[in-house]
Amino acid sequence: YRINGNSLQILGYSDLDGIAGNEIVIKNGNYINAINDTSYLIRNLFVSSSFWSLNSFQNVDGRAGNEILVTVGGKTQIVNYQQ
């Protein structure tokens, strides 16, 4: 996979789409790159600041697949792979 960025950091692996298999989750500035190896898809998810940190992967909306919880300026932001 080819991802453009100066400072990439693998955050972890989590089932974000609710289909068997984990996505690879990468921090890339203001974006989270989520790689789905089954469909060969890289989804770019926007985060409101480039100064953020991973809080956790949790299912907070009750649908299959985890959301990505990040901390931005002391507040939690929910990033949803499926939207």
Side-chain angles (χ1 to χ4, degrees):
Y1 296 96
R2 183 181 186 99
I3 298 175
N4 295 323
N6 294 327
S7 179
L8 303 176
Q9 176 187 3
I10 294 177
L11 298 176
Y13 310 90
S14 183
D15 179 11
L16 303 177
D17 62 4
I19 300 170
N22 289 334
E23 281 66 49
I24 302 166
V25 183
I26 299 171
K27 180 176 183 175
N28 186 1
N30 278 60
Y31 289 89
I32 295 172
N33 302 126
I35 301 172
N36 182 312
D37 194 47
T38 305
S39 65
Y40 305 105
L41 173 73
I42 300 175
R43 189 162 291 176
N44 300 311
L45 308 166
F46 182 74
V47 179
S48 62
S49 169
S50 59
F51 301 102
W52 59 273
S53 60
L54 176 68
N55 186 330
S56 63
F57 301 110
Q58 292 185 35
N59 186 333
V60 296
D61 66 2
R63 297 185 311 171
N66 290 328
E67 285 68 55
I68 306 165
L69 282 68
V70 298
T71 302
V72 179
K75 296 182 180 179
T76 299
Q77 178 179 338
I78 299 170
V79 180
N80 192 325
Y81 176 87
Q82 298 184 41
Q83 292 181 347

